[in-house]
Amino acid sequence: MLKISELYIYPVKSLGGIRVDESRVTPMGLEYDRRWLLVDDNNDFVTQRQFPKMALLSVALRKSGITVSNKEYSESIDIPFNERGRSYERITVTIWDDTCSGELVSAEADNWFTKALGFRCRLVYMPDDTRRIVDQRYANENAITSFSDAYPFLLIGQASLDELNSRLTEPIPMNRFRPNIVFSGAEPFAEDQYGHFKIGGVDFYGVKLCARCVMTTVNQDTGVNGKEPLKTLAKYRAKDNNILFGQNLIHKGSGQISVGDELILQHLVDDERFIV
């Protein structure tokens, strides 16, 4: 039986993730997942790819917002949820080839992150009325996402990580790959073939294997990068100049999903992910 073994959200893109027991599925993905983003002076997104030190900023979820803590200096900042109806300055931000609208959070937050990371940056929130459409080569314009790299969900099988770790001198944790849904009960890399499955009342569709980058080499506890796991994955998970690990998902429906829920595989009919 296929079951959810772990669930993760990453409220601020490229900062520390939060392991949760359950989460609500929203049109953009899991609730609070990548709804905040750090941008530079050009309003371009910044990540651990350029600044591995971002791994040292951990995030906790509270009823009224989030708390970000700096592991280096034991400093933290509380960031309340943006209030509906309040006027926030909006800017256009760039994520890869996409542009979308976001709300500036506060000068206090900008100053805190600038000090913590050592470069000038601003914190942006994605309001509910922003529509960032996923790549339409793999899904239609009804599929949207937050400030994620490209898609609202990433699925990885625990067996896939176990198989990789059997090849490594030093095993690595799942947090190197930043999944949303981790599941158990399948063979390694079975998720590569999952075109359609259900969790509760929500339909999920596998649309594209996830191409991995240098961010997977950043130790999330130290902020230091190395060569693994890309060096090993390149030997057996490379295709068309990409190193593949995990499956990107879109979805149809809403509801609550929880650790322990069953993943029920469905028959994918006529590329139905294009008509969700």
Side-chain angles (χ1 to χ4, degrees), residues 30-82:
L30 293 182
E31 189 172 27
Y32 309 122
D33 187 49
R34 296 173 176 96
R35 294 296 293 269
W36 288 266
L37 174 73
L38 288 167
V39 298
D40 63 16
D41 282 335
N42 297 315
N43 294 342
D44 290 333
F45 78 120
V46 295
T47 73
Q48 290 181 37
R49 298 172 182 88
Q50 311 107 298
F51 305 104
K53 190 177 178 181
M54 292 174 72
L56 299 181
L57 300 184
S58 62
V59 184
L61 187 64
R62 299 180 293 107
K63 287 185 177 180
S64 58
I66 59 174
T67 297
V68 181
S69 301
N70 189 331
K71 297 178 185 177
E72 277 191 303
Y73 304 113
S74 300
E75 297 176 347
S76 63
I77 183 172
D78 292 331
I79 300 168
F81 297 128
N82 282 23

Side-chain angles (χ1 to χ4, degrees), residues 15 19 38 50 73 80 86 97 105 108 110 142 167 189-190 198 200 225 232-233 236 272:
L15 301 192
R19 185 171 176 173
L38 288 167
Q50 311 107 298
Y73 304 113
R86 180 178 165 186
D97 296 326
V105 173
E108 178 189 6
D110 298 345
N142 291 323
R167 299 169 181 255
F189 306 109
K198 283 180 174 287
N225 54 9
T232 295
L233 284 171
Y236 72 113
E272 63 183 305

Side-chain angles (χ1 to χ4, degrees), residues 204-242:
F204 293 89
Y205 300 89
V207 292
K208 184 178 180 293
L209 298 189
C210 187
R212 310 316 304 225
C213 68
V214 295
M215 194 164 158
T216 61
T217 69
V218 179
N219 184 313
Q220 297 297 295
D221 294 323
T222 65
V224 175
N225 54 9
K227 294 182 178 180
E228 294 292 5
L230 293 184
K231 180 180 178 181
T232 295
L233 284 171
K235 298 175 182 177
Y236 72 113
R237 291 290 298 177
K239 182 177 181 181
D240 299 330
N241 295 317
N242 289 315

